[in-house]
Structure formats: C-alpha cells, structure tokens
Amino acid sequence: MALMTVERLTEELFRAADILRGRMDASEYRDVLFGMLLLKRASDQPGILNVPDESRWRHIVDSGTKAPEVLNKALSALEQNNPDGLDGVLGALDFNRGLGRAQLKALIDHFDRIPLGDDDLEFSDVVGRAYDHTLGWLADAAGKKGGEFYTPRSVVQLMVELVRPEPGQSVYDPFTGSGGMLVQAKEYVDEYDRNAVGLGLFGQELNVETCSIARLNLLLHNVTDGSVLCGDTLADPLHLQGDGRLRRFDRVLTNAPFSMNYTEKEIKHPERMRYGWTPAQGKKADLMNVQHVLAVLRPDGIGAVVTPHGVLFRGGSEAEIRRGIVEEDRLEAVIGIGPNVFHGTAIPACILVLRGSDGTPVGERGTVLFINAEREVVTGRSLNRLEPENIEKIVSAFRERADIDGFSRVVTLQEIAENDFNLNIPRYVDAGPPEEPLLDVRAALFGGVPRHEVEAEEPRFHSFGIDLADLFQPRNLDYFSFPAEGCEATAARIPDLATTQERRFIDQCCRWWAGAGAQIAELAGAKHLFMSRSHLMTSFREELLPLEILDRYQLTGVFAAWWSDRQDDLRSLEHRGFPGVIDRWAAADGELSRHSGPARERVLEVLGDDLCSRVTGRVAAQRQGLVALYRSWGDRYETSFADLEQQSQAATERLRSRLRGLGYR
C-alpha cells in the first residue's frame, strides 16, 4: 500500500469537511475534524500518547448510535491520561454540537479508512502538515473569523526568515492563534539542520478553543514539550521565571490582534510599558503589544511583530512611544506588506523587526531600515499573498540592509527625528508605480520617438540580444522613427529577435542542472540534501545572473519556488533514494508517463525539466514586458499631430472629390 502523503491526507480531511457541510458553520469544522484526527492518530501510533481503552479507535467504531457520547468520553479519557501534554486541550471539543448521529457515523467511517501510524506515513510530519493546510483552507472558508486563529503561511515564513531561529533557542508567540509561528520556527530549524537540538516553543492565547487548536497543532507536529498557555497576554503574561519576573526569549514572533482595547488598571507587569501608554480615550493596544515583545526579548534577542500601519504615524503619546523605541535602537526595520493580506481585515499591515536591550548591531545603530514591499504582494481572488520570490527579495534586502530604489532604504535617526518620529513608510520609500515619461510634445506634434526614452531602456533589449537598429530607424540626433512596417508589425518580431539569447539562457540553466543534479544524486539517501539548499541557490543565481535576462531576485525566487514545490520529492530522495521518489510519483499517478529509464535518470530529468520550465516561463514574461514597452511607444508616438492633420486634409480632399463627382460645386 502506498504511503500516506501530505497531499492525500489533506484531501481526506477536505472530504471529511464535506460531511459536515450544512450542519455547522465552517469556522466550527476545525474542532470536530481535529478531535477525530487526534483520536485516530493516537490509536494508530502507539507511544505518542497514553491511550486508555475507551479512547481506542476500535471502541469508537463499535459505538453505533452512541457515537456523540462515546467520542466525548474518549476525548475526556485521553486528556485525563495525558495531563502533561493535553491538560486543557480537549475540553472545548464537543461532538454533540450541531451534528446528527448519521453525520458522526459517516465521519467515523471516513476516518476509519485513513491509516495514520508512522509506518503508514511518507514522513513523520505528514499529519501535522496536512492539519496546517486544512487550517488554512478553513480560515478561507470562515472569512473574517479565520483571522482570529490563522496567519497566512507566506507571512509566517517571511517572519521566521527575518529572525532566523537557531538550534537550542527559545521561541515565543504571545498571541499564538493556531500556533503557526511556532510550528514554522521548528520547521525552519529542522530544514537547515535535521540533527540540531530542538527549539523551546512557548505561546499564550486568549481564546480557549484556539488555544486548544494550537496545542493540538504542536502535538501533531511531534512537539510534545511545547508550552502554550491560555490567558490574556497583555493583561497577565503567564510565562514567568521562578522569581515571578517575566521570562525572556531568544526569538519572538507574533501577529497580535489589531487595535484591541485594554484597561490600564488590569495590566500586570506594568514595567513592560517602558516607553509609555497609549491614549486613555479609545485605547488601542497595538504599541502596548509591541512593548510586551520588547520586554520579553533577551538582550541579544530578535522579534518580529505584525501591526496595522496606524502604529507608524498616530500622534500624541504614541509618537512618544515610537521616539523611545527608535532612540534606544530597539527598532531594526519597518516592512510594509500592503492591504488585504490577512483574513478578516483589508487594512494595510506592516512587520516591525525589534531588538533586545542590547539594541541593533553596532554598525547599524542610529538607523532604521524601511522596506516598502506593497508592490511585491501578488493579488489573489480573496487575499493578496507573498510568493517565494517576494519573500526572498524582502529577506535579502533586510539581511544586506540594501538601498534599492523604490523598495528599501536605510534611514538615519536624524531624518526620522526631523519627521517627528513619524515612521509612515512612504515618507522614506515611495513604492508607487514608475511614472511614465512626460509626453514629448515635439514628437507628438511632428513625429519620432525620443532617443532618451529608448536609450534608457536599451539594456533590457540588449539582454535579449536585440539591437535598437532592429526596432527603430534613425531620424535625427534626438529622435528615432519606427520602421516602415510600423510599430505593431515590428513588435510582433520581437519574440523571434530574442530567440537566440533566450535559448542561450535556457541552455545555461540546463548545463547548471547537469552539475547540480550530480551533486544532488551524491546526497541521495545521505540525509544532508536540505543543508545544500543555500549553496545550490547561490550557484544557480551566479550561473545565470551574468546573462542579465533575470535579476538576482527573480532567479532566487524561481529557485525558491521550485524547491518549495518539490520539497517532498527532495525529502523522499534524501530518505529513500531515487526508488523512493519513483514510488511516490507512481502512487500519485503523476509525472512518470513521459519518462523512462533507470530511476536516477528519470528523477533527475523530471526535477530538471520542472526547474528549466519555470525559468522558461519567467523569461517569456520578461520578453512580453519588452513587447508591451515597445507597443507603449507606438501608442504615444506612432501617429503625430502632423500625421493626423495630413490624414484629415486627405480625407477632406476625398470628400470634396466625391461631392464634385456627384455634381456639387
């Protein structure tokens, strides 16, 4: 029997959700599905939990019409027999809520057909990852309510890449939601060093049901020693040292609720609010939550927190709080990721990267990095999203503290002070679309295409092997003319003109893969493949960057997207060698029909074809950009006012001639 993959298990969970459709709100599916998933997983895999007889799956299957009561007792018994890992986790789950016995029986029958023992799973984290995929789907289905428990995984991945947790460190999320930040931090460390000492994972969540989901999420990701506590973090943080002081953490990651209210007299550990309190009227706790993060960082710690843009520019006491944070070098970066990225709110959001009391590194003190990534977000049907290319560009600019026109800039404390500590990102980095050149009036009146406009874009055409002489004719020192065939016909020739250079670029990609594939083959079955990701990405970029068709961020993004989408193929290669990859493809009835030969050659061919296909698509998009640019010159300048006047005079003369032919004078 084929091993259970993440994709297959996710599909099975979606089918289980279909059984619930119409019986309850989509936001409630998660409790029923994941209570059932936990019971089945605990029974199928001995040792992960202490499972009493009344919680065993066979007892549940035999329950018949007593299913709701049996399921609730099974959960209760499982919690009582595992107080260290499940205390308080399962109390919010109730199988009597909104479900008929027929639906519960159908649900039990469905899960009964899903094997969840370790020997049935492709990887040990399949259950946790499928759970997380389903959480994302349920957040979409739940609409506004989805934002209460789920942060889009692309945002989580970006934040983890920014703070880079290391083996043995402690990671804390004070507003845990469903636990995605903690899980992603664990996966980040696992990917880069599978033999590393694990992380200490800590969290706190106000909503009882969501807190249970977070604990269950960690458990299904094989985290049995995480500490997620239930309570109001701002009013009463629960992770304390033995002397009652706040516990400190190496890394803090959180998406705090936007613009929540608070009551000052209820705030314990008020020393956290070192930089001040937000206004008494209409209290919004955004900067209070930021100060909590600052208060619990170790001196050399790093934090990343999502906030609404209002924290960047609201005046009064909030401006004073910003002043204190900036002047003490606690703010390393402000990253704008634009509107409509999170479930439940369309308002623009940003990420603040914060430092512990030691402040930013010595060479960076007295400055803040601003990144305006609003244009790096891909527009989606319901939500905007960050793609791997967008994440790589943001992370690279952050790590290099790069000044990139229209994207990122290092700003001095003096400039921020001159702006009254207003941190509104467009004040420092304008990411608006590039303005079109002003219409050249002379060209519009008398014809021609301005040389300065064309020559400014010449490198883009040159990277595709296209000479300006292929596209224009000289007119005079300041202007070109379109060829006699016209703009549209010339634009249609651009793909042919670019063919040679495009082919050279793709061939170079294939040559790189020949060497890289051999390196990957050497690591097959050696459990070190994922540690080579950074080296492979760098060599891929350096091999193709000199040809200039794609920039470093595009190349890095193509590789990152390929690696992400092929992650399980590569993991299978790492664990089970080439035959293991063939087996998983055969089970999925996927990509084998077009390929034959020994397993090694087949796998490398599929992986290489996929990467080169992605590169080809990206190159084609760049070339289409050139076609669009050339046509835009045609729209602006192909027909001048003088041409229109001549056409008008010719039309007038034809009309007069026609009238004379009809006998009119």
Side-chain angles (χ1 to χ4, degrees):
M1 182 178 177
L3 295 174
M4 180 68 69
T5 64
V6 172
E7 294 80 9
R8 280 183 55 209
L9 183 53
T10 303
E11 289 175 4
E12 295 291 355
L13 293 175
F14 286 0
R15 291 191 184 103
D18 285 338
I19 298 172
L20 303 176
R21 198 179 306 277
R23 303 294 302 188
M24 58 176 56
D25 188 87
S27 62
E28 299 176 298
Y29 289 3
R30 58 177 190 172
D31 298 342
V32 175
L33 292 179
F34 302 137
M36 198 77 75
L37 184 65
L38 177 63
L39 288 168
K40 185 64 162 65
R41 169 66 170 154
S43 290
D44 283 4
Q45 181 52 47
I48 62 170
L49 290 173
N50 180 14
V51 184
D53 289 342
E54 59 264 51
S55 301
R56 295 197 177 278
W57 188 253
R58 184 45 48 195
H59 176 71
I60 294 169
V61 170
D62 294 338
S63 63
T65 59
K66 298 179 181 179
E69 294 79 9
V70 169
L71 284 165
N72 283 338
K73 288 180 180 178
L75 288 175
S76 177
L78 193 65
E79 183 172 350
Q80 291 172 11
N81 280 268
N82 297 274
D84 292 338
L86 293 180
D87 184 36
V89 172
L90 305 177
L93 305 183
D94 182 2
F95 286 103
N96 271 313
R97 182 176 53 189
L99 283 175
R101 296 181 187 275
Q103 282 74 33
L104 278 177
K105 179 64 167 60
L107 206 59
I108 291 170
D109 290 344
H110 180 76
F111 274 92
D112 191 42
R113 295 188 292 270
I114 306 173
L116 295 178
D118 281 354
D119 292 340
D120 303 308
L121 305 177
E122 184 179 25
F123 307 115
S124 61
D125 61 355
V126 161
V127 177
R129 289 169 59 202
Y131 173 95
D132 196 58
H133 291 336
T134 310
L135 274 176
W137 175 76
L138 291 176
D140 285 336
K144 185 174 183 179
K145 291 182 180 179
E148 298 175 4
F149 65 87
Y150 189 82
T151 301
R153 287 303 169 253
S154 62
V155 177
V156 177
Q157 181 183 349
L158 169 61
M159 294 173 68
V160 171
E161 292 271 1
L162 291 170
V163 306
R164 290 194 282 186
E166 298 177 4
Q169 290 186 332
S170 57
V171 180
Y172 170 59
D173 183 350
F175 303 94
T176 306
S178 59
M181 299 280 187
L182 301 178
V183 167
Q184 184 64 41
K186 172 187 179 296
E187 291 182 348
Y188 176 89
V189 169
D190 285 347
E191 178 174 341
Y192 287 96
D193 189 350
R194 296 195 182 282
N195 298 316
V197 177
L199 296 170
L201 301 177
F202 303 86
Q204 187 167 335
E205 169 58 39
L206 174 61
N207 183 283
V208 175
E209 293 183 357
T210 303
C211 185
S212 297
I213 293 296
R215 291 181 179 179
L216 182 55
N217 197 3
L218 292 179
L219 182 64
L220 293 178
H221 280 87
N222 303 317
V223 177
T224 57
D225 55 354
S227 173
V228 177
L229 305 178
C230 190
D232 184 339
T233 298
L234 186 59
D236 185 14
L238 298 177
H239 287 94
L240 306 174
Q241 302 180 69
D243 58 4
R245 292 184 299 170
L246 292 171
R247 183 166 185 165
R248 301 298 199 273
F249 304 94
D250 297 294
R251 298 291 185 266
V252 180
L253 293 156
T254 196
N255 176 13
F258 287 4
S259 301
M260 56 186 274
N261 291 310
Y262 75 95
T263 302
E264 185 173 336
K265 64 182 180 181
E266 296 178 355
I267 301 292
K268 297 182 180 179
H269 299 280
E271 70 276 7
R272 290 177 290 164
M273 307 310 153
R274 167 188 177 90
Y275 302 104
W277 298 75
T278 53
Q281 297 298 320
K283 293 180 178 179
K284 302 300 181 186
D286 302 310
L287 279 173
M288 314 291 284
N289 295 331
V290 169
Q291 291 188 85
H292 171 75
V293 171
L294 290 169
V296 298
L297 281 171
R298 291 185 185 276
D300 60 349
I302 308 172
V305 54
V306 177
T307 71
H309 270 224
V311 305
L312 303 178
F313 54 77
R314 288 194 292 251
S317 60
E318 294 196 60
E320 290 304 309
I321 294 172
R322 290 195 301 273
R323 174 196 290 269
I325 293 172
V326 172
E327 287 184 335
E328 293 193 8
D329 283 309
R330 305 294 300 277
L331 178 64
E332 183 171 4
V334 179
I335 303 170
I337 54 175
N340 200 36
V341 174
F342 297 93
H343 298 279
T345 179
I347 65 174
C350 62
I351 298 170
L352 305 183
V353 182
L354 307 167
R355 285 282 184 168
S357 57
D358 284 353
T360 55
V362 174
E364 301 171 8
R365 292 184 181 173
T367 64
V368 175
L369 174 67
F370 286 81
I371 298 178
N372 194 334
E374 291 190 9
R375 294 181 63 201
E376 297 298 313
V377 177
V378 177
T379 302
R381 182 176 57 85
S382 58
L383 287 179
N384 298 335
R385 66 185 186 279
L386 293 164
E387 296 286 3
E389 177 181 323
N390 312 128
I391 293 172
E392 290 291 340
K393 184 173 182 179
I394 294 168
V395 171
S396 294
F398 171 75
R399 292 179 182 172
E400 298 167 12
R401 293 184 71 80
D403 285 341
I404 302 172
D405 187 42
F407 182 71
S408 61
R409 185 162 76 90
V410 176
V411 179
T412 64
L413 174 59
Q414 179 180 348
E415 183 176 348
I416 294 172
E418 289 170 355
N419 281 289
D420 296 324
F421 293 90
N422 185 317
L423 303 178
N424 198 22
I425 299 170
R427 282 179 176 255
Y428 306 101
V429 182
D430 182 6
E435 295 183 1
E436 283 192 4
L438 292 175
L439 183 68
D440 187 294
V441 176
R442 182 176 177 184
L445 288 174
F446 304 110
V449 184
R451 278 182 178 267
H452 69 89
E453 286 189 31
V454 174
E455 290 174 352
E457 302 290 353
E458 183 176 8
R460 292 176 59 187
F461 289 95
H462 185 264
S463 68
F464 278 87
I466 300 174
D467 192 272
L468 294 185
D470 297 321
L471 305 176
F472 299 98
Q473 294 177 347
R475 186 183 183 98
N476 55 43
L477 290 176
D478 297 319
Y479 294 91
F480 288 113
S481 292
F482 289 107
E485 63 185 349
C487 172
E488 191 59 34
T490 306
R493 290 195 294 107
I494 288 177
D496 289 337
L497 295 171
T499 297
T500 300
Q501 195 69 358
E502 284 188 39
R503 186 67 262 163
R504 181 185 171 206
F505 193 86
I506 303 305
D507 288 347
Q508 191 78 353
C509 177
C510 294
R511 281 192 292 273
W512 175 85
W513 174 253
Q519 293 179 40
I520 289 173
E522 291 177 3
L523 296 172
K527 295 185 172 52
H528 298 297
L529 176 56
F530 274 69
M531 296 175 65
S532 70
R533 177 183 182 272
S534 178
H535 167 73
L536 289 169
M537 179 185 287
T538 300
S539 69
F540 174 76
R541 184 176 63 231
E542 292 178 350
E543 185 78 17
L544 295 175
L545 190 59
L547 298 182
E548 299 181 336
I549 287 181
L550 300 181
D551 66 28
R552 58 174 298 191
Y553 303 112
Q554 292 168 326
L555 290 168
T556 303
V558 167
F559 184 93
W562 171 80
W563 186 279
S564 176
D565 291 344
R566 290 292 180 177
Q567 180 181 20
D568 282 350
D569 291 337
L570 295 168
R571 289 182 70 184
S572 184
L573 182 61
E574 185 180 64
H575 285 80
R576 290 181 282 276
F578 290 104
V581 183
I582 293 293
D583 289 344
R584 78 182 309 271
W585 288 347
D589 193 25
E591 298 168 283
L592 296 178
S593 59
R594 304 190 309 274
H595 303 270
S596 61
R600 181 183 188 277
E601 283 70 19
R602 295 165 78 187
V603 171
L604 292 178
E605 185 177 2
V606 169
L607 296 179
D609 284 354
D610 184 21
L611 179 60
C612 291
S613 176
R614 292 167 188 257
V615 170
T616 300
R618 196 57 199 258
V619 168
Q622 287 293 102
R623 182 229 306 140
Q624 283 303 110
L626 294 184
V627 174
L629 173 62
Y630 188 78
R631 284 176 172 154
S632 73
W633 284 322
D635 292 339
R636 290 159 66 87
Y637 299 119
E638 186 171 27
T639 304
S640 68
F641 180 79
D643 294 331
L644 292 174
E645 187 174 34
Q646 285 181 347
Q647 293 169 14
S648 175
Q649 289 173 353
T652 300
E653 185 55 40
R654 287 195 299 272
L655 177 60
R656 287 174 179 170
S657 176
R658 178 64 175 158
L659 290 174
R660 285 195 296 269
L662 294 173
Y664 293 95
R665 295 287 184 262

